[in-house]
Amino acid sequence: MRLAVLKERRAGESRVAATPETVKKLKAMGLGVAVEAGAGLASGIPDAEYVAAGAEMAADAAAALAGANIVFAVRAPEAALPSGTLLIGTLGADAAAASAFAAAGIEACSMELLPRITRAQSMDVLSSQANLAGYRAVIEAAEAFDRGFPMLMTAAGTIPAANAFIMGAGVAGLQAIATARRLGGRVSATDVRPAAKEEIKSLGASFVGYEDEESKAAQTAGGYAKQLSAEFYAKQAEVVAAHIAKQDIVICTALVQGRKAPTLVTAEMVASMKPGSVIVDIAADAGGNCAATVPGEMIVTPNGVKVLGFTNWPGRIPAAASALYARNLLTFLTTFWDKEAKAPKLPPEDDIVAGVTLTRGGAVVHKNFAA
Ligand code: NAD
């Protein structure tokens, strides 16, 4: 069996799906591993390190794919894969893309669809990448902010601590809270899921938010936030508006699975903020939580607020993101590996397998897309 790792070609994608550490382990499982030249460069991994780990370097994608049975990717590859290939990545497929995989005979597994169950935690690419995105968001906010996070008491006088407000306290938001606290900020946070309130407090941040009967049931069985009513969002906005006017830093991380991210910071709220304040919108990939966000860009509003709407936040910390992502994929493959046959074994009835498998035997089988 051969496994190929391609150089990512999508705009702004700096991550890679295998590292020298995971290549060594893939080799130990009995796999031949081909890595396309330059695949790790944007994550700080030279080709020589892959070679030292036992990989064969391939000059281009076609050479890496020759004879490959399995492909590890970050995003859906643009290159045509051989029929029968097991493709594992964050494919972000819609119904049309899933049908195209099926038509091409590709066995596609999309890791962002992984169920959020305890057994799947070590393969959970959404968690590993969101954690780093939350950290990076605060670091970039600190860099863009023209003051500082901690209170600075100097002989020349005192600079107050920054007020940082984290919107959405899932995996990214909780890491953002912890990072902003470590930098010395005065941190508050909001969420709609009742469980998040206690988690916010346990990290030493204050909770600011609106709660009612509807928000008591705001969490799905899978642990995600539900889409809530327009009335709820209006009440939430009332509570949040007064608070945002006093913030120096706002970090937006709120998502509702399968939908556009909710708009939580309106144009009026942005206009109420002081010049020099910073909004970081890591929900920009899903349309953004802030009305002023321009996905992919940093803008400065007429009242002097910087809005960082960059996309692919994990890709802004690529070495760490690749290290964790590569381990997530390795864990998935080792969990579903037949040691005797030295081949993948993906039982369709397994919760994790059923959660991620888009296509099998030329047909779309995922519940989100199957006709
Ligand atoms: P996510 O990325 O889908 O959303 C980020 C956060 O935004 C969530 O906390 C959500 O409640 C919040 N949000 C949505 N609408 C909002 C609004 N209007 N205002 C404020 N906040 C809003 O979430 P996630 O980080 O993927 O985490 C989702 C859940 O899954 C959490 O409960 C997490 O603990 C759980 N989880 C479980 C596992 C596991 O057991 N394997 C792994 C990872 C996460």
Side-chain angles (χ1 to χ4, degrees):
M1 281 257 151
R2 283 173 65 81
L3 181 144
V5 179
L6 303 181
K7 184 173 155 67
E8 297 291 323
R9 286 186 166 73
R10 308 262 168 182
E13 188 51 78
S14 50
R15 294 169 290 170
V16 60
T19 59
E21 176 197 296
T22 64
V23 165
K24 262 189 213 149
K25 294 186 173 148
L26 293 165
K27 293 275 302 176
M29 289 159 67
L31 279 161
V33 181
V35 178
E36 184 181 350
L41 282 182
S43 288
I45 308 168
D47 291 350
E49 288 191 21
Y50 285 111
V51 174
E56 291 165 33
M57 294 316 289
D60 54 27
L65 289 171
N69 312 92
I70 307 170
V71 171
F72 271 5
V74 178
R75 315 265 293 275
E78 286 164 355
L81 307 184
S83 178
T85 305
L86 172 64
L87 169 64
I88 305 171
T90 44
L91 308 177
D94 54 14
S99 298
F101 285 131
I106 293 162
E107 313 279 312
C109 291
S110 211
M111 295 296 286
E112 76 277 14
L113 300 173
L114 195 81
R116 313 303 282 277
I117 54 177
T118 308
R119 194 164 64 89
Q121 264 173 4
S122 53
M123 342 169 179
D124 188 341
V125 295
L126 286 184
S127 290
S128 74
Q129 305 300 290
N131 198 322
L132 294 168
Y135 162 80
R136 185 71 188 187
V138 175
I139 299 304
E140 296 208 25
E143 202 269 337
F145 186 44
D146 52 17
R147 227 166 62 211
F149 265 64
M151 181 169 76
L152 296 169
M153 295 171 82
T154 79
T158 299
I159 307 276
N163 288 322
F165 182 42
I166 318 297
M167 305 191 77
V171 179
L174 293 175
Q175 181 57 258
I177 293 172
T179 305
R181 293 254 308 145
R182 274 184 225 125
L183 287 180
R186 212 167 14 215
V187 184
S188 56
T190 192
D191 204 299
V192 288
R193 290 178 301 106
K197 184 175 177 182
E198 289 316 309
E199 288 166 354
I200 289 168
K201 289 188 184 161
S202 73
L203 287 174
S206 52
F207 174 80
V208 175
Y210 174 72
E211 297 163 277
D212 64 8
E213 286 303 312
E214 188 179 353
S215 65
K216 278 187 195 154
Q219 183 161 321
T220 65
Y224 291 104
K226 283 185 193 160
Q227 174 80 8
L228 301 170
S229 67
E231 291 74 36
F232 178 90
Y233 287 127
K235 295 258 173 53
Q236 184 188 28
E238 254 174 57
V239 174
V240 159
H243 188 66
I244 284 189
K246 292 179 264 169
Q247 299 306 305
D248 300 298
I249 311 282
V250 176
I251 310 275
C252 301
T253 78
L255 294 176
V256 176
Q257 203 196 19
R259 292 181 177 262
K260 186 206 163 288
T263 303
L264 303 179
V265 184
T266 61
E268 294 73 34
M269 292 181 200
V270 178
S272 76
M273 294 178 77
K274 297 183 287 281
S277 308
V278 179
I279 298 172
V280 178
D281 196 346
I282 64 173
D285 281 302
N289 291 146
C290 173
T293 294
V294 180
E297 289 181 31
M298 186 194 77
I299 58 135
V300 184
T301 65
N303 63 320
V305 177
K306 288 180 187 162
V307 184
L308 278 60
F310 305 133
T311 47
N312 190 10
W313 281 82
R316 300 179 75 79
I317 176 166
S322 295
L324 298 187
Y325 183 86
R327 282 186 209 149
N328 291 145
L329 294 202
L330 172 72
T331 305
F332 177 75
L333 195 60
T334 49
T335 304
F336 300 107
W337 188 250
D338 182 334
K339 284 189 184 146
E340 256 136 62
K342 292 193 170 42
K345 188 177 177 188
L346 296 158
E349 67 286 358
D350 183 281
D351 285 350
I352 296 175
V353 174
V356 300
T357 306
L358 291 181
T359 53
R360 186 183 306 113
V364 177
V365 294
H366 198 277
K367 64 175 167 49
N368 292 5
F369 307 115

